[in-house]
Amino acid sequence: MLTISRMKSLMSLSASPFSLHRSKAIRFGVFSLASESSSNLIPTFLQSPISIHTKPRLIPPKSPIFSIHNRSLQSESSRSSSDGEIHVIVGPMFAGKTTTLIRRIQSESENGRSVAIIKSNKDTRYRLDSIVTHDGMKLPCSALANLSSFRQKLGPDAYDKLDVIGIDEAQFFDDLYDFCRKAADHDGKTIIVAGLDGDYLRRSFGSVLHIIPLADSVTKLTARCEICGNRAFFTLRKTEEIQTELIGGADVYMPVCGSGGKGTWGGLMDSDDCSILDPNDPNYDSSEDCENSSAIRKTADFDEFRKKTTIIVEEYFANDDVVSTANELRELGMPVYNYYFVKKLVSTAMDRNDKEKEMAGVLLSALYANIIDSQQVYRGFTKLPQAEGLLLDLLKEAAEEGLINTSQISKGFGRMIDMVDDLSLDIPNARAMLRSLISKAASEGWLCASSLKSLSVAPVKPSLEDSVAKIFKLKAQSIIQEYFLTGDILEVSSCLESENTTCSAELNAIFVKRLITLVMDRKNREKEMASVLLSSLCFPADDIVNGFTMLIESADDTALDNPVVVEDLAMFVARAVVDEVLAPQHLEEIATQFSGPDSIGSKVLQMAKSLLKARLSGERILRCWGGGGSSKPGWAVEDVKEKIEKLLEEYESGGDAREACRCIKELGMPFFHHEVVKKALVTVIEKKNDKLWSLLDKGFSSGLITMYQMTKGFGRLGDSLDDLALDVPDAEKQFIHYVDKARTIGWLDNSFTFNKSGDGKENVICL
Ligand SMILES: Nc1ncnc2c1ncn2[C@@H]1O[C@H](COP(=O)(O)OP(=O)(O)O)[C@@H](O)[C@H]1O
Ligand SMILES: Cc1cn([C@H]2C[C@H](O)[C@@H](COP(=O)(O)O)O2)c(=O)[nH]c1=O
C-alpha cells in the first residue's frame, strides 16, 4: 500500500522530461513516470509540486461491500486491439472513493503508465486543480464541465499518449457513458471512475449506474454511519434544500446506514423500526450479526431518551427556563431522537392552556436549528396524533395573532406548492393533503388562496424518470442540430414520433424548451427555423405552454449570459401566437406561473403582449427573424398556408379533387396537412358548401391525409371556434355535426371529443 510519507515524497518531485506538452499538461493534471527516473519507479508530475495534508483516519481502510470483476467475462473481440478497461468505484460520501481513486492512479503511475485525472468543475469545495479526499489527500487534476472536451483541451497528441484516466465526482458528468465507452473501447485507455451511485434520496445519481454494463470491475465502498457507527451505504442531507445537486461536505451531508433494515430509508433510528439485518439481503454479512446487539442497545437508548425527555419537558413547563432545557437536551447527546422531544413537547402543550402552548412555541424556536435540526422538527410534528389539525391550528393562531403576516403565510404555502412534486416522492398523497390544507386555511380566512399559484389535481408536468428525460434531452439536441443542418421538418417529425412513445406531453415540452434554448445564441436563420419548426410540429398547446414556462423559468440563468434574452424570448412567444401555435389566452396561463412584475417571466410576457398589440404586429412578428427558414428555402409556414388557401379556393371554384390532392402532396409537408383539414372545414362551415368535404374524403381515402392530421385539423378548429362564431353564429352546432360525421366514417376515433361552449383546449382531445 502507498504510505502517506511515500506519497509525499512522490509528490514533491517536479519537472518532467516527459514529452507531453508541458503547459497543457500542467493545466490538465497529467503526470507520468519520468523516463530517466523510471528505474526507481518514481513518478514525476508534470505540474508544480503539491503537498498532501492528512489528518488521522477516522476509520481503518475498509474492504468494499462488493467488488465485481468482470473482465474475464469479456470477449476478446469486444474491445479494440489496444484493449481499454473501465473500473468503477461507487458508494456514499465519505466512503473513500477519492482515496481509492488516488491510490489506484498512484499505483498505475508507479507502474510506468501515464495518467491524468479529471473532476467535475461543479465540485467547488476545493481548488479546481486538485481532487481532495475528506481527510486531505490530494492529487492534481483538471476540472471540466464535460468529459467530451477533455481530448481537445488536453491536446490530441497528449491525449493519445495517456494510458490511464481517473474521473472523480463522476455523477456530475452527463456524457460519462459516451466518454468511457469511447476512451476504453476505441482509444484503449484504462478509465477509473469514482462517483456517487445514489443521491441524498437514494435515487440513481447522474450516469454513474449507466456505465456498470461497460465496467470491468465495480467496487462499492461504504462509510461509517454517523449515527450508529454501522456500515453506511447512503448519504443523508442535513439541510432542507431539495435540488439533486448541492455541493457540500460534512456541513451538508453525513453517511448513514439507513437504519430500519437495509432496504428502508427515512426511518432513521425509529423506535418502531429497529435495525435488524436480513440474512436474505445480498449485502448480508454474517460477521455483522454482532450488530444485532447494537439494535437492542439502540432500543434501550431510546427508552432512556424517552424517559428523560418526559422529565425535561415537565421541568420546562414548571420553570420556564429555555437555556437550561436546551442544555439538558444537548447533554442527552442523542440528537437522532430529538424528533421525539418535539413530539412530546407539542403534544403535552396541546393538552395544557395557552401559556404552555406559548412556552412550547418559544422553546421550539430557540432550539430550532441550534439544537434540533429541521428534519427532526418536521419528523416530530408528523408523529403527532392529528398532526395536520394541530399544525394548522398553530398556523391559524400565529396568523390571527399577527405573529406571521399574510404575505409570509402566502409565501410559505407558495413554497409548499413549488416543492409538492418532490414531496410526493416520499408522501404520495402530498398534493391532495396540501390542497385540503389550502382550502381549509382559505375557508377559515387566514390564507388568501387567490394569491397562490394554482395547484392542479395532478402534477402539471408528470414527473418523468430523470434518466428518460436526460436521454431525451440529448436526443432532442441532436435532432435539433441535425435540423439546423438539413432543414428537414419531416425528419424531425418522424424522429419525435419514434421517441414520443410515452410521456409525450412532457417530452414535447422538453423539446420546445431545448429548441428555443439552443437557438438563443444563434443567428436569425436558426431562430426563424425554430419558429417554423414549432409551428409545423403542431404540438398540443398545453405542451407548448409547459415548454415556454420551463424555458422562462430557466431564463434567470440564461439572462446572465445574454442581455437580450427577454427580447428574444418575448419574440418567440409573440411569434408562437402569430403562428397560432399558442392562443392569446395561453399567455395569461404562462403569466400565472410567474409572480412579481420584476421577474424575467413577467417581463417576457409583458413584452410579448406589447409586441402583439403594436400596429401591423402580425406582419412584423412574422418577419422578425427575416423569414424563409423552413424546409424549403423561402417557404415559411405563412407561405405554405397561403398556398393551401389558394389551392382550396381553386378547387372550390370548380377544380378537380385529384388535381387538388396532387398539389397538396407536392407541397411536401405531410406533417402540415392539418392546415388543409382546418381550412377546408372552415369553408364547409362558413359557406355551407360540402365540396371541400369531398376533398377531405378523397384525401383521407387516398392516404394523403392521415387520421393524425385529421385529428389535429379538427382539434385546431375546435380551439378557434369562438373566432369563427363571430361570422357564423351556428359554427359550434355545425362543427359538432361534422365531428360526429367524421367519427362515423372513421376519420376521427372515439377519443376525439368536443364539449359544447367550452374552452377548446380542454374539450377537444387531440391525439
Ligand atoms: N463517517 C465517516 N465514515 C468514513 N470515513 C469518514 C467519515 N467521516 C469522515 N471520514 C473520512 O473520509 C475519508 C474518505 O474520504 P474520501 O476518499 O474523500 O471519500 P469519498 O470520496 O467517498 O467521499 C475517510 O478515510 C475518513 O478519514
Ligand atoms: C449525496 C449528494 C451529494 N452531492 C454532492 C456533494 C458533494 O459535493 C459531492 C460528493 O462528494 P464526495 O467527495 O464524493 O463525497 O456530491 C450532491 O450534489 N447531491 C447529493 O444528493
Side-chain angles (χ1 to χ4, degrees), residues 629-653:
S630 77
S631 60
K632 299 199 175 221
W635 280 38
V637 161
E638 251 344 82
D639 297 334
V640 181
K641 283 185 179 174
E642 264 177 50
K643 283 184 195 300
I644 291 175
E645 196 156 334
K646 275 216 179 88
L647 76 85
L648 291 182
E649 273 169 20
E650 269 171 33
Y651 170 71
E652 197 195 344
S653 59

PDB file of all heavy atoms in Angstrom, residues 629-653:
ATOM      1  N   GLY A 629     -37.086  30.314 -43.322  1.00  0.00           N
ATOM      2  CA  GLY A 629     -36.205  29.281 -42.764  1.00  0.00           C
ATOM      3  C   GLY A 629     -36.761  27.882 -42.823  1.00  0.00           C
ATOM      4  O   GLY A 629     -36.220  26.988 -42.197  1.00  0.00           O
ATOM      5  N   SER A 630     -37.821  27.638 -43.533  1.00  0.00           N
ATOM      6  CA  SER A 630     -38.447  26.321 -43.454  1.00  0.00           C
ATOM      7  C   SER A 630     -37.696  25.299 -44.288  1.00  0.00           C
ATOM      8  O   SER A 630     -36.657  25.573 -44.863  1.00  0.00           O
ATOM      9  CB  SER A 630     -39.888  26.401 -43.926  1.00  0.00           C
ATOM     10  OG  SER A 630     -39.904  26.465 -45.311  1.00  0.00           O
ATOM     11  N   SER A 631     -38.270  24.121 -44.349  1.00  0.00           N
ATOM     12  CA  SER A 631     -37.580  23.027 -45.040  1.00  0.00           C
ATOM     13  C   SER A 631     -37.294  23.385 -46.491  1.00  0.00           C
ATOM     14  O   SER A 631     -36.308  22.991 -47.059  1.00  0.00           O
ATOM     15  CB  SER A 631     -38.436  21.784 -44.974  1.00  0.00           C
ATOM     16  OG  SER A 631     -39.670  22.032 -45.590  1.00  0.00           O
ATOM     17  N   LYS A 632     -38.197  24.126 -47.101  1.00  0.00           N
ATOM     18  CA  LYS A 632     -37.918  24.576 -48.469  1.00  0.00           C
ATOM     19  C   LYS A 632     -37.513  26.035 -48.354  1.00  0.00           C
ATOM     20  O   LYS A 632     -38.305  26.840 -47.871  1.00  0.00           O
ATOM     21  CB  LYS A 632     -39.174  24.449 -49.312  1.00  0.00           C
ATOM     22  CG  LYS A 632     -39.641  23.006 -49.385  1.00  0.00           C
ATOM     23  CD  LYS A 632     -40.547  22.803 -50.539  1.00  0.00           C
ATOM     24  CE  LYS A 632     -40.864  21.320 -50.596  1.00  0.00           C
ATOM     25  NZ  LYS A 632     -40.883  20.777 -51.881  1.00  0.00           N
ATOM     26  N   PRO A 633     -36.310  26.377 -48.781  1.00  0.00           N
ATOM     27  CA  PRO A 633     -35.869  27.749 -48.611  1.00  0.00           C
ATOM     28  C   PRO A 633     -36.938  28.702 -49.145  1.00  0.00           C
ATOM     29  O   PRO A 633     -37.464  28.511 -50.235  1.00  0.00           O
ATOM     30  CB  PRO A 633     -34.590  27.832 -49.436  1.00  0.00           C
ATOM     31  CG  PRO A 633     -34.144  26.414 -49.569  1.00  0.00           C
ATOM     32  CD  PRO A 633     -35.362  25.560 -49.480  1.00  0.00           C
ATOM     33  N   GLY A 634     -37.235  29.721 -48.360  1.00  0.00           N
ATOM     34  CA  GLY A 634     -38.227  30.698 -48.797  1.00  0.00           C
ATOM     35  C   GLY A 634     -39.654  30.279 -48.490  1.00  0.00           C
ATOM     36  O   GLY A 634     -40.574  31.057 -48.661  1.00  0.00           O
ATOM     37  N   TRP A 635     -39.841  29.056 -48.051  1.00  0.00           N
ATOM     38  CA  TRP A 635     -41.195  28.594 -47.743  1.00  0.00           C
ATOM     39  C   TRP A 635     -41.446  28.624 -46.249  1.00  0.00           C
ATOM     40  O   TRP A 635     -41.405  27.612 -45.585  1.00  0.00           O
ATOM     41  CB  TRP A 635     -41.392  27.161 -48.239  1.00  0.00           C
ATOM     42  CG  TRP A 635     -41.679  27.062 -49.695  1.00  0.00           C
ATOM     43  CD1 TRP A 635     -41.130  27.827 -50.665  1.00  0.00           C
ATOM     44  CD2 TRP A 635     -42.569  26.147 -50.324  1.00  0.00           C
ATOM     45  NE1 TRP A 635     -41.612  27.440 -51.878  1.00  0.00           N
ATOM     46  CE2 TRP A 635     -42.504  26.401 -51.699  1.00  0.00           C
ATOM     47  CE3 TRP A 635     -43.402  25.141 -49.873  1.00  0.00           C
ATOM     48  CZ2 TRP A 635     -43.255  25.695 -52.626  1.00  0.00           C
ATOM     49  CZ3 TRP A 635     -44.138  24.435 -50.782  1.00  0.00           C
ATOM     50  CH2 TRP A 635     -44.074  24.712 -52.154  1.00  0.00           C
ATOM     51  N   ALA A 636     -41.684  29.780 -45.733  1.00  0.00           N
ATOM     52  CA  ALA A 636     -42.037  29.842 -44.323  1.00  0.00           C
ATOM     53  C   ALA A 636     -43.443  29.294 -44.198  1.00  0.00           C
ATOM     54  O   ALA A 636     -44.171  29.167 -45.184  1.00  0.00           O
ATOM     55  CB  ALA A 636     -41.960  31.262 -43.827  1.00  0.00           C
ATOM     56  N   VAL A 637     -43.835  28.992 -42.985  1.00  0.00           N
ATOM     57  CA  VAL A 637     -45.148  28.397 -42.783  1.00  0.00           C
ATOM     58  C   VAL A 637     -46.250  29.287 -43.358  1.00  0.00           C
ATOM     59  O   VAL A 637     -47.220  28.808 -43.935  1.00  0.00           O
ATOM     60  CB  VAL A 637     -45.353  28.134 -41.277  1.00  0.00           C
ATOM     61  CG1 VAL A 637     -46.815  27.962 -40.944  1.00  0.00           C
ATOM     62  CG2 VAL A 637     -44.585  26.890 -40.904  1.00  0.00           C
ATOM     63  N   GLU A 638     -46.033  30.602 -43.217  1.00  0.00           N
ATOM     64  CA  GLU A 638     -47.033  31.520 -43.759  1.00  0.00           C
ATOM     65  C   GLU A 638     -47.226  31.290 -45.253  1.00  0.00           C
ATOM     66  O   GLU A 638     -48.339  31.318 -45.774  1.00  0.00           O
ATOM     67  CB  GLU A 638     -46.580  32.963 -43.535  1.00  0.00           C
ATOM     68  CG  GLU A 638     -47.343  33.774 -42.501  1.00  0.00           C
ATOM     69  CD  GLU A 638     -48.678  33.227 -42.063  1.00  0.00           C
ATOM     70  OE1 GLU A 638     -48.737  32.350 -41.193  1.00  0.00           O
ATOM     71  OE2 GLU A 638     -49.692  33.694 -42.613  1.00  0.00           O
ATOM     72  N   ASP A 639     -46.105  31.069 -45.967  1.00  0.00           N
ATOM     73  CA  ASP A 639     -46.198  30.837 -47.422  1.00  0.00           C
ATOM     74  C   ASP A 639     -47.002  29.582 -47.706  1.00  0.00           C
ATOM     75  O   ASP A 639     -47.839  29.539 -48.612  1.00  0.00           O
ATOM     76  CB  ASP A 639     -44.795  30.668 -48.031  1.00  0.00           C
ATOM     77  CG  ASP A 639     -43.970  31.932 -47.858  1.00  0.00           C
ATOM     78  OD1 ASP A 639     -44.593  33.011 -47.759  1.00  0.00           O
ATOM     79  OD2 ASP A 639     -42.735  31.826 -47.812  1.00  0.00           O
ATOM     80  N   VAL A 640     -46.712  28.554 -46.921  1.00  0.00           N
ATOM     81  CA  VAL A 640     -47.416  27.287 -47.161  1.00  0.00           C
ATOM     82  C   VAL A 640     -48.905  27.473 -46.898  1.00  0.00           C
ATOM     83  O   VAL A 640     -49.751  26.980 -47.653  1.00  0.00           O
ATOM     84  CB  VAL A 640     -46.839  26.166 -46.268  1.00  0.00           C
ATOM     85  CG1 VAL A 640     -47.546  24.858 -46.542  1.00  0.00           C
ATOM     86  CG2 VAL A 640     -45.355  26.016 -46.530  1.00  0.00           C
ATOM     87  N   LYS A 641     -49.185  28.228 -45.833  1.00  0.00           N
ATOM     88  CA  LYS A 641     -50.601  28.471 -45.536  1.00  0.00           C
ATOM     89  C   LYS A 641     -51.277  29.167 -46.710  1.00  0.00           C
ATOM     90  O   LYS A 641     -52.396  28.831 -47.092  1.00  0.00           O
ATOM     91  CB  LYS A 641     -50.723  29.334 -44.282  1.00  0.00           C
ATOM     92  CG  LYS A 641     -50.491  28.574 -42.993  1.00  0.00           C
ATOM     93  CD  LYS A 641     -50.754  29.482 -41.815  1.00  0.00           C
ATOM     94  CE  LYS A 641     -50.555  28.733 -40.518  1.00  0.00           C
ATOM     95  NZ  LYS A 641     -50.656  29.600 -39.355  1.00  0.00           N
ATOM     96  N   GLU A 642     -50.569  30.137 -47.286  1.00  0.00           N
ATOM     97  CA  GLU A 642     -51.148  30.866 -48.432  1.00  0.00           C
ATOM     98  C   GLU A 642     -51.400  29.926 -49.601  1.00  0.00           C
ATOM     99  O   GLU A 642     -52.426  29.974 -50.261  1.00  0.00           O
ATOM    100  CB  GLU A 642     -50.165  31.952 -48.878  1.00  0.00           C
ATOM    101  CG  GLU A 642     -50.483  33.305 -48.268  1.00  0.00           C
ATOM    102  CD  GLU A 642     -49.437  34.324 -48.672  1.00  0.00           C
ATOM    103  OE1 GLU A 642     -49.138  34.423 -49.908  1.00  0.00           O
ATOM    104  OE2 GLU A 642     -48.912  34.960 -47.768  1.00  0.00           O
ATOM    105  N   LYS A 643     -50.405  29.047 -49.839  1.00  0.00           N
ATOM    106  CA  LYS A 643     -50.550  28.106 -50.963  1.00  0.00           C
ATOM    107  C   LYS A 643     -51.754  27.198 -50.746  1.00  0.00           C
ATOM    108  O   LYS A 643     -52.515  26.922 -51.676  1.00  0.00           O
ATOM    109  CB  LYS A 643     -49.278  27.264 -51.112  1.00  0.00           C
ATOM    110  CG  LYS A 643     -48.153  28.023 -51.774  1.00  0.00           C
ATOM    111  CD  LYS A 643     -46.956  27.130 -51.985  1.00  0.00           C
ATOM    112  CE  LYS A 643     -45.711  27.910 -52.304  1.00  0.00           C
ATOM    113  NZ  LYS A 643     -45.766  28.741 -53.510  1.00  0.00           N
ATOM    114  N   ILE A 644     -51.900  26.750 -49.493  1.00  0.00           N
ATOM    115  CA  ILE A 644     -53.036  25.859 -49.211  1.00  0.00           C
ATOM    116  C   ILE A 644     -54.336  26.612 -49.450  1.00  0.00           C
ATOM    117  O   ILE A 644     -55.281  26.092 -50.061  1.00  0.00           O
ATOM    118  CB  ILE A 644     -52.942  25.318 -47.766  1.00  0.00           C
ATOM    119  CG1 ILE A 644     -51.754  24.343 -47.657  1.00  0.00           C
ATOM    120  CG2 ILE A 644     -54.236  24.650 -47.330  1.00  0.00           C
ATOM    121  CD1 ILE A 644     -51.465  23.819 -46.275  1.00  0.00           C
ATOM    122  N   GLU A 645     -54.355  27.859 -48.987  1.00  0.00           N
ATOM    123  CA  GLU A 645     -55.576  28.654 -49.162  1.00  0.00           C
ATOM    124  C   GLU A 645     -55.924  28.776 -50.651  1.00  0.00           C
ATOM    125  O   GLU A 645     -57.060  28.560 -51.061  1.00  0.00           O
ATOM    126  CB  GLU A 645     -55.362  30.034 -48.548  1.00  0.00           C
ATOM    127  CG  GLU A 645     -56.655  30.765 -48.330  1.00  0.00           C
ATOM    128  CD  GLU A 645     -56.516  31.818 -47.238  1.00  0.00           C
ATOM    129  OE1 GLU A 645     -55.650  31.664 -46.353  1.00  0.00           O
ATOM    130  OE2 GLU A 645     -57.265  32.785 -47.294  1.00  0.00           O
ATOM    131  N   LYS A 646     -54.879  29.057 -51.445  1.00  0.00           N
ATOM    132  CA  LYS A 646     -55.110  29.238 -52.886  1.00  0.00           C
ATOM    133  C   LYS A 646     -55.622  27.966 -53.537  1.00  0.00           C
ATOM    134  O   LYS A 646     -56.564  27.966 -54.307  1.00  0.00           O
ATOM    135  CB  LYS A 646     -53.801  29.654 -53.559  1.00  0.00           C
ATOM    136  CG  LYS A 646     -53.558  31.122 -53.491  1.00  0.00           C
ATOM    137  CD  LYS A 646     -52.875  31.617 -54.782  1.00  0.00           C
ATOM    138  CE  LYS A 646     -52.667  33.106 -54.717  1.00  0.00           C
ATOM    139  NZ  LYS A 646     -51.379  33.466 -54.072  1.00  0.00           N
ATOM    140  N   LEU A 647     -54.973  26.869 -53.220  1.00  0.00           N
ATOM    141  CA  LEU A 647     -55.381  25.639 -53.919  1.00  0.00           C
ATOM    142  C   LEU A 647     -56.774  25.196 -53.506  1.00  0.00           C
ATOM    143  O   LEU A 647     -57.533  24.641 -54.308  1.00  0.00           O
ATOM    144  CB  LEU A 647     -54.321  24.536 -53.779  1.00  0.00           C
ATOM    145  CG  LEU A 647     -54.128  23.721 -52.514  1.00  0.00           C
ATOM    146  CD1 LEU A 647     -55.082  22.546 -52.485  1.00  0.00           C
ATOM    147  CD2 LEU A 647     -52.700  23.200 -52.474  1.00  0.00           C
ATOM    148  N   LEU A 648     -57.154  25.519 -52.250  1.00  0.00           N
ATOM    149  CA  LEU A 648     -58.520  25.184 -51.833  1.00  0.00           C
ATOM    150  C   LEU A 648     -59.527  26.079 -52.569  1.00  0.00           C
ATOM    151  O   LEU A 648     -60.596  25.616 -52.983  1.00  0.00           O
ATOM    152  CB  LEU A 648     -58.688  25.335 -50.321  1.00  0.00           C
ATOM    153  CG  LEU A 648     -57.929  24.301 -49.458  1.00  0.00           C
ATOM    154  CD1 LEU A 648     -58.196  24.519 -47.976  1.00  0.00           C
ATOM    155  CD2 LEU A 648     -58.280  22.869 -49.837  1.00  0.00           C
ATOM    156  N   GLU A 649     -59.140  27.343 -52.742  1.00  0.00           N
ATOM    157  CA  GLU A 649     -60.034  28.264 -53.476  1.00  0.00           C
ATOM    158  C   GLU A 649     -60.237  27.780 -54.907  1.00  0.00           C
ATOM    159  O   GLU A 649     -61.338  27.733 -55.426  1.00  0.00           O
ATOM    160  CB  GLU A 649     -59.427  29.673 -53.509  1.00  0.00           C
ATOM    161  CG  GLU A 649     -59.796  30.506 -52.291  1.00  0.00           C
ATOM    162  CD  GLU A 649     -58.967  31.786 -52.221  1.00  0.00           C
ATOM    163  OE1 GLU A 649     -58.392  32.215 -53.273  1.00  0.00           O
ATOM    164  OE2 GLU A 649     -58.882  32.322 -51.117  1.00  0.00           O
ATOM    165  N   GLU A 650     -59.106  27.388 -55.524  1.00  0.00           N
ATOM    166  CA  GLU A 650     -59.185  26.905 -56.911  1.00  0.00           C
ATOM    167  C   GLU A 650     -60.096  25.690 -57.006  1.00  0.00           C
ATOM    168  O   GLU A 650     -60.947  25.564 -57.888  1.00  0.00           O
ATOM    169  CB  GLU A 650     -57.799  26.536 -57.432  1.00  0.00           C
ATOM    170  CG  GLU A 650     -57.125  27.705 -58.116  1.00  0.00           C
ATOM    171  CD  GLU A 650     -55.678  27.411 -58.433  1.00  0.00           C
ATOM    172  OE1 GLU A 650     -55.356  26.238 -58.722  1.00  0.00           O
ATOM    173  OE2 GLU A 650     -54.857  28.343 -58.379  1.00  0.00           O
ATOM    174  N   TYR A 651     -59.897  24.796 -56.044  1.00  0.00           N
ATOM    175  CA  TYR A 651     -60.705  23.570 -56.061  1.00  0.00           C
ATOM    176  C   TYR A 651     -62.182  23.903 -55.875  1.00  0.00           C
ATOM    177  O   TYR A 651     -63.053  23.389 -56.585  1.00  0.00           O
ATOM    178  CB  TYR A 651     -60.220  22.618 -54.959  1.00  0.00           C
ATOM    179  CG  TYR A 651     -61.147  21.444 -54.748  1.00  0.00           C
ATOM    180  CD1 TYR A 651     -61.240  20.430 -55.700  1.00  0.00           C
ATOM    181  CD2 TYR A 651     -61.954  21.367 -53.623  1.00  0.00           C
ATOM    182  CE1 TYR A 651     -62.119  19.365 -55.524  1.00  0.00           C
ATOM    183  CE2 TYR A 651     -62.830  20.305 -53.442  1.00  0.00           C
ATOM    184  CZ  TYR A 651     -62.909  19.316 -54.391  1.00  0.00           C
ATOM    185  OH  TYR A 651     -63.778  18.266 -54.224  1.00  0.00           O
ATOM    186  N   GLU A 652     -62.418  24.853 -54.960  1.00  0.00           N
ATOM    187  CA  GLU A 652     -63.802  25.217 -54.646  1.00  0.00           C
ATOM    188  C   GLU A 652     -64.500  25.805 -55.873  1.00  0.00           C
ATOM    189  O   GLU A 652     -65.676  25.557 -56.132  1.00  0.00           O
ATOM    190  CB  GLU A 652     -63.774  26.244 -53.510  1.00  0.00           C
ATOM    191  CG  GLU A 652     -65.089  26.417 -52.803  1.00  0.00           C
ATOM    192  CD  GLU A 652     -65.078  27.690 -51.970  1.00  0.00           C
ATOM    193  OE1 GLU A 652     -63.992  28.247 -51.703  1.00  0.00           O
ATOM    194  OE2 GLU A 652     -66.177  28.135 -51.627  1.00  0.00           O
ATOM    195  N   SER A 653     -63.701  26.586 -56.656  1.00  0.00           N
ATOM    196  CA  SER A 653     -64.316  27.209 -57.825  1.00  0.00           C
ATOM    197  C   SER A 653     -64.211  26.294 -59.045  1.00  0.00           C
ATOM    198  O   SER A 653     -63.822  26.713 -60.123  1.00  0.00           O
ATOM    199  CB  SER A 653     -63.679  28.561 -58.095  1.00  0.00           C
ATOM    200  OG  SER A 653     -62.303  28.384 -58.305  1.00  0.00           O
TER     201      SER A 653
END
